[in-house]
Amino acid sequence: MTTLRMEEGAHAVLARNDRGGYTVPTDRLYPFQWNWDSAFVAMGFATFNVDRAYRELERLVEGQWDDGMIPHIVFHVPSDTYFPGPDVWGTRHRILTSGITQPPVFGMALRHVHEAALANGMTDAEVRTRALFQAALHSHRWWLEARDPDGLGLVSILHPWESGSDNSPAWDEALARVPTTTTTTIRRKDTGHVDAAMRPRDEDYQRFIHLVDVYRDCDWDPKRQWAKAPFKVADVQMTAILARATADLMHLAEALGTDEDRAGLAQMRRRLVDGLARRWRPDLSRFVSLDLISGADIEAPTQAGFIPLVALALDGAQQSAITAEIGRWLDGMVVGVPSTPAFSPAFEPKRYWRGPVWAVINWLIADGLRLNGAEDLARRVEQSTVQAIENAGFCEYFDPTTGEGLGGDTFSWTAAAYLALGRRR
Ligand code: DGY
C-alpha cells in the first residue's frame, strides 16, 4: 500500500499543477496542457476525484482539430517559460495548439474514468463519456487515415516529439538525416529550468525545429506533411497504445456506441494488431519499429519494444522470451525498467529518454505484463516504481543505476502513477 503522507503529497502535486480543469506537467518547464500527460493524469484523478478526471479530458479535447487530431500541446493561457510557443507552431485551430500529436492514451484513460464514475454512482457519467467517446473515435480515425495511408497496420510519427520519447536512441539514425538548419530562431528555455546534461542536446533541438519549419510550411496539412516528411517512423509504441486504446473504446462502444462504431473499431483493432504482430523479432525478444524512409528495422533497444504487451496476447514462447529480456534489462539496476538498457552503447542514465526510468512507461509495461499472465514481473515493476517515488519524490524520471530523481520535480504524471500503481500493490 502507498503511505498516506505520500498520497497526500501526490494530491498536492496535482493541485499545485492545476490551472483550472487542466493540469500542467510541471510548473515553468512545461506550462501548458500536454496530451498524453493529461491522459495519465486523468487516471490519477480518477482515484479520488472523478469529476476532475473528466474535466482533464474535456479540456484536452478543446484543442482537437476539425480533422480529428488531438495536438500534443494545448496553449490555453500564454507563458514565456517554454520554447517553442504558439508563434513558432503557427497553427490555425480555434484555440492555440501545437501542430503535432502524442500517444493516444486518451482512449485508455476514458475507459478508466468511465469505470470509476460508474463505481462512484455518478449520474452524468454516461453523457460525459459519450461526448468524449466521439472525440476519441474521431481521433482514432485521423490516426489511421493520416498516419497509415498505405495500410501497414502501423501508425507513423513524423516528429520525435510525437513519440513522447523525444531523444530516444531509437530515433538517432532517422534523425541524423534531418538537417540542422532552421528558419526559426531557437531560444531554448528548458535548459534554464533543468540541467542541460539531463536534456536533449542542441543539435537535437536544431533537427526538432527543422521538422516544425517543414510542417508549418505544409500548412499542417496531413497529406502534404506525409509527402514532405524527412522523418517518418512506423512506431511500435505508438501503434500499441493506439491498438490498446481502440480495444478500450470497443469496450465502451458495447454500451455507448452504434453498430457502425463497433464494426469500425473492430476493423481498426484487427488492422493494428496484425501490423504489430509482424514487428516481433524472436532474435531480439522484443518488437521493433520501422524507419519508413530507409526501409530498415530500428533495432536500437528501447522501452518501445515492450509496449506491444498492452495490446497483444502473446504466445507462450513470446511471453517467456519477453519476460526474460525485461529481466535482463532490470539486472543490476536499482530501479527499472530503463528506457535504454545499460548494455547499450547509447545508454546515458541521466539523459531524458536515453536510459532513465519513467513511471508512466512502467505503468504501461506492468499493465501489459499482467495482461499476458506475467503477474510476478508486473508486481515487481510496479513496486519498484512506487519505491523509487517514495525515495526520490515525484520527479520527472529516475536514474536506473542509483534511483536518483531527475528532470523536473513535482511532476503531475509521476504523482498520477503513484496513485494508480500504489493501489495495485
Ligand atoms: C519538450 O519540449 O521537451 C517536449 O517533450 C516536447 O513536447
Side-chain angles (χ1 to χ4, degrees), residues 25 45 54 85 115 122 160 334 344 407 412:
F45 271 123
Y54 272 121
E115 286 174 355
M122 264 177 90
V334 168
S344 161
S412 300

Side-chain angles (χ1 to χ4, degrees), residues 45-362:
F45 271 123
T47 63
F48 68 102
N49 183 345
V50 186
D51 173 62
R52 183 60 185 74
Y54 272 121
R55 281 306 290 146
E56 190 75 31
L57 299 177
E58 289 161 353
R59 298 247 33 207
L60 183 65
V61 299
E62 289 172 16
Q64 183 169 32
W65 288 14
D66 292 341
D67 67 4
M69 184 187 78
I70 303 182
H72 99 297
I73 306 175
V74 184
F75 299 109
H76 291 288
V77 170
S79 165
D80 61 5
T81 66
Y82 179 79
F83 173 87
D87 49 325
V88 175
W89 293 98
T91 59
R92 284 198 293 271
H93 181 61
R94 284 175 290 282
I95 61 174
L96 297 172
T97 72
S98 69
I100 58 173
T101 188
Q102 253 187 345
V105 179
F106 187 92
M108 298 173 63
L110 181 57
R111 175 176 174 186
H112 197 97
V113 172
H114 180 73
E115 286 174 355
L118 294 185
N120 280 274
M122 264 177 90
T123 49
D124 57 354
E126 192 174 317
V127 179
R128 293 176 89 172
T129 301
R130 219 179 259 284
L132 292 169
F133 171 82
Q134 287 307 326
L137 193 55
H138 194 192
S139 102
H140 283 220
R141 291 197 180 115
W142 173 85
W143 268 108
L144 290 198
E145 278 168 37
R147 297 307 181 84
D148 184 23
D150 302 328
L152 294 178
L154 299 167
V155 289
S156 286
I157 54 169
L158 304 186
H159 195 301
W161 282 342
E162 294 195 310
S163 70
S165 318
D166 308 359
N167 65 339
S168 170
W171 321 134
D172 284 358
E173 274 184 43
L175 197 60
R177 279 183 235 121
V178 174
T180 52
T181 48
T182 62
T183 51
T184 298
T185 307
I186 299 178
R187 294 200 175 85
R188 288 184 72 170
K189 303 274 175 84
D190 58 320
T191 44
H193 309 303
V194 168
D195 183 348
M198 297 179 198
R199 296 286 305 172
R201 298 167 196 279
D202 280 344
E203 198 181 306
D204 298 326
Y205 260 78
Q206 288 161 355
R207 296 192 159 98
F208 292 159
I209 297 302
H210 179 95
L211 291 171
V212 173
D213 289 343
V214 170
Y215 303 141
R216 193 185 51 240
D217 289 348
C218 295
D219 283 330
W220 301 108
D221 175 76
K223 286 201 174 69
R224 288 174 64 194
Q225 287 176 251
W226 185 264
K228 279 269 159 69
F231 177 96
K232 198 186 286 180
V233 173
D235 175 20
V236 289
Q237 176 166 298
M238 190 69 90
T239 304
I241 291 172
L242 184 65
R244 166 56 183 277
T246 302
D248 286 337
L249 293 185
M250 284 169 73
H251 187 86
L252 291 173
E254 282 166 26
L256 303 173
T258 61
D259 284 346
E260 198 189 330
D261 295 339
R262 283 187 281 274
L265 285 163
Q267 202 179 30
M268 207 182 274
R269 182 167 170 277
R270 176 55 38 218
R271 171 167 154 187
L272 296 167
V273 161
D274 289 349
L276 265 183
R278 288 191 285 269
R279 305 308 301 162
W280 171 253
R281 293 293 173 270
D283 50 329
L284 299 174
S285 301
R286 52 187 164 80
F287 294 82
V288 298
S289 296
L290 174 64
D291 183 334
L292 289 186
I293 301 218
S294 69
D297 279 3
I298 296 180
E299 293 194 347
T302 72
Q303 86 291 337
F306 302 131
I307 305 297
L309 281 164
V310 300
L312 300 180
L314 303 184
D315 66 31
Q318 290 173 321
Q319 278 177 13
S320 340
I322 207 166
T323 50
E325 183 63 7
I326 293 174
R328 185 162 85 99
W329 289 33
L330 294 176
D331 239 14
M333 297 295 108
V334 168
V335 49
V337 181
S339 46
T340 298
F343 59 77
S344 161
F347 179 64
E348 293 183 73
K350 294 193 187 334
R351 198 184 290 280
Y352 212 40
W353 288 91
R354 303 183 75 85
V357 175
W358 294 73
V360 296
I361 291 295
N362 281 359

